[in-house]
Amino acid sequence: AALRRDKRGFQVAVEAHDQTMARAQGRGASFLEAWNATHLARAFRLVSDYDEAVSRGELARAFFARSRLAGGEAHVELELTEIELARGAPVEAERRLAALKKRFAETEGPLANPLLAGRANLLEVRLCLASKPARLDEASALLVEAEGRLIGRSLRELEEQAKEARRRIRALGGSFSTTVVDTRRPTTDSQASHTALRASAIVGQSPAIRELWRWIRQAALSPLNILI
């Protein structure tokens, strides 16, 4: 119902869900309730009920934090970031995302998951485009990285976000050349404003790709023919 933006049908379904969960109180349903709240946060976002979306999301986030379930906490924090963007609060969205990335490194923990890392990249792209002026070079680099991480993962909402971001970048005068900004290395005034990433601009910088490049560099030293 939420995907169809059928608010009436969605409300009926939510009331039935809440009644069922109320009857299950005290029966060890907290884990299930937290994940339900995570998905309900998304559903409320889709029907533009942002206050209820945040309420459900925070309920889930609090449970995951208490239970030390980092994967669940990262998942719902990304959804809460999405909600803040949807209701026109990019500053709060950027604060949430920055706190998440500061807490969890991209090479370990939940953000080592390509799906969660790709979604985080897409959120960063949208924040770059929402800034004044839009940070087009950074958005282009992050979008290429997000698309690399999401290859083989068919998720319509993320695919549509990537497609829309690519359209907006081009409409604003951005490009997707092989020379893009490396968002991981701080630049100084003496450095050029653009860093040539070349092949890495195409394949991205996910942990799996970095590991593959490490193996390739090691193999390149050998005179033998090697299949990786």
Side-chain angles (χ1 to χ4, degrees), residues 14-79:
V14 169
E15 289 175 0
H17 164 270
D18 289 347
Q19 290 171 7
T20 300
M21 296 309 298
R23 291 194 296 270
Q25 286 293 329
R27 300 180 187 176
S30 297
F31 181 81
L32 175 62
E33 185 176 5
W35 277 111
N36 281 351
T38 300
H39 296 299
L40 279 169
R42 173 176 179 260
F44 275 108
R45 168 173 61 82
L46 292 175
V47 297
S48 303
D49 189 343
Y50 302 124
D51 289 340
E52 187 64 25
V54 170
S55 177
R56 301 278 179 153
E58 287 292 357
L59 176 69
R61 190 196 60 76
F63 173 83
F64 291 134
R66 288 196 308 270
S67 304
R68 297 184 179 180
L69 295 172
E73 192 174 356
H75 186 103
V76 74
E77 195 64 68
L78 289 172
E79 179 56 46

Side-chain angles (χ1 to χ4, degrees), residues 166-186:
R166 187 170 283 271
R167 185 197 67 76
R168 287 191 61 198
I169 289 170
R170 284 178 172 152
L172 291 170
S175 64
F176 294 90
S177 66
T178 55
T179 301
V180 295
V181 172
D182 185 346
T183 59
R184 286 167 184 71
R185 299 183 180 87

Side-chain angles (χ1 to χ4, degrees), residues 107-158:
T107 55
E108 58 187 25
L111 291 184
N113 179 297
L115 181 58
L116 293 180
R119 188 180 184 190
N121 286 150
L122 285 176
L123 287 167
E124 288 180 292
V125 170
R126 292 165 63 190
L127 286 168
C128 287
L129 295 176
S131 66
K132 304 294 183 183
R135 306 193 301 273
L136 294 178
D137 288 336
E138 186 179 351
S140 299
L142 288 165
L143 181 56
V144 169
E145 186 169 344
E147 290 175 331
R149 284 172 162 161
L150 296 172
I151 289 175
R153 295 169 175 83
S154 182
L155 293 168
R156 180 179 296 179
E157 185 175 15
L158 297 185

Side-chain angles (χ1 to χ4, degrees), residues 107 148 151 199-200 202-221 226-228:
T107 55
I151 289 175
S200 61
I202 300 172
V203 299
Q205 293 288 322
S206 69
I209 287 296
R210 290 199 293 271
E211 179 69 8
L212 177 59
W213 277 117
R214 186 177 70 83
W215 280 102
I216 290 173
R217 292 189 185 97
Q218 289 180 351
L221 301 175
I226 299 175
L227 176 64
I228 299 180

